[in-house]
């Protein structure tokens, strides 16, 4: 799995002109699923993200967790994180098949909820408008192949 995690002041996802998910302070998570990913991969990544300590403490150091700042999650499926960029027109053959990707995306959402952070989210496969106010900015890349 791959994820782009951005620390945000607020973020939202709109589908068909209607807000589908919206948060204040927390993480906007763009999540991509690869063909070799499993339920265990989703569990480990959810745990890692939910326990990140990247919010500033009283000394201005990135030391506080999502729980400590009472933050929220907004998770949006993003198959383009597996784009093959060798040419000017990206290919997406490295992304998981839709059935596997949808299943693991939903499991990821469940693991985040189990960790105490029931996420707001987009809709798998939908055309979405994502808005965010980045905080910092702090943006982190995760690739479970490297974890």
């Amino acid at each position: 799995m791959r994820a782009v995690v951005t620390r945000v002041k607020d973020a939202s996802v709109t589908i068909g002109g209607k807000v589908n998910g919206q948060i204040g302070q927390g993480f906007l998570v763009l999540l991509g699923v690869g063909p070799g990913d499993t339920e265990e991969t989703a569990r480990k990544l959810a745990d890692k993200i939910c326990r990140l300590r990247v919010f500033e403490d009283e000394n201005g150091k990135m030391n506080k967790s999502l729980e400590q700042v009472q933050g929220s999650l907004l998770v949006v499926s993003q198959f383009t994180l597996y784009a093959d960029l060798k040419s000017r027109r990206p290919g997406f053959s490295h992304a998981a098949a839709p059935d596997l990707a949808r299943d693991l995306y939903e499991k990821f959402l469940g693991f985040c909820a189990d960790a105490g952070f029931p996420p707001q989210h987009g809709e798998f496969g939908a055309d979405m408008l994502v808005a965010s106010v980045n905080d910092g900015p702090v943006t982190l890349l995760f690739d479970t192949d490297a974890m």
Side-chain angles (χ1 to χ4, degrees):
M1 296 183 112
R2 293 180 181 163
V4 174
V5 177
T6 302
R7 188 177 75 182
V8 298
K9 290 287 187 188
D10 59 70
S12 65
V13 60
T14 301
I15 303 169
K18 183 177 177 184
V19 175
N20 198 71
Q22 185 171 14
I23 64 168
Q25 182 179 35
F27 294 139
L28 168 61
V29 180
L30 304 178
L31 182 70
V33 180
D37 291 328
T38 65
E39 184 173 328
E40 187 57 26
T41 307
R43 182 186 325 274
K44 286 180 180 178
L45 184 58
D47 182 64
K48 182 87 167 178
I49 291 170
C50 289
R51 295 183 190 282
L52 271 177
R53 293 176 29 194
V54 297
F55 293 93
E56 290 185 1
D57 65 15
E58 55 281 348
N59 298 315
K61 303 289 184 191
M62 288 196 295
N63 198 29
K64 288 191 173 186
S65 68
L66 198 57
E67 180 179 27
Q68 290 171 305
V69 300
Q70 299 178 340
S72 302
L73 293 174
L74 174 61
V75 181
V76 177
S77 62
Q78 188 77 49
F79 75 95
T80 58
L81 291 176
Y82 278 90
D84 175 352
L85 299 170
K86 291 179 184 166
S87 69
R88 289 180 283 167
R89 183 170 180 260
F92 300 103
S93 62
H94 298 294
D99 289 342
L100 173 64
R102 180 187 320 268
D103 181 56
L104 291 178
Y105 169 76
E106 290 173 0
K107 287 188 184 320
F108 179 88
L109 296 175
F111 294 139
C112 291
D114 292 347
F117 302 99
Q120 294 286 303
H121 54 84
E123 181 181 314
F124 186 89
D127 185 20
M128 298 174 273
L129 297 176
V130 179
S132 67
V133 176
N134 297 350
D135 180 14
V138 173
T139 302
L140 305 166
L141 303 174
F142 290 88
D143 187 334
T144 56
D145 289 341
M147 288 173 44

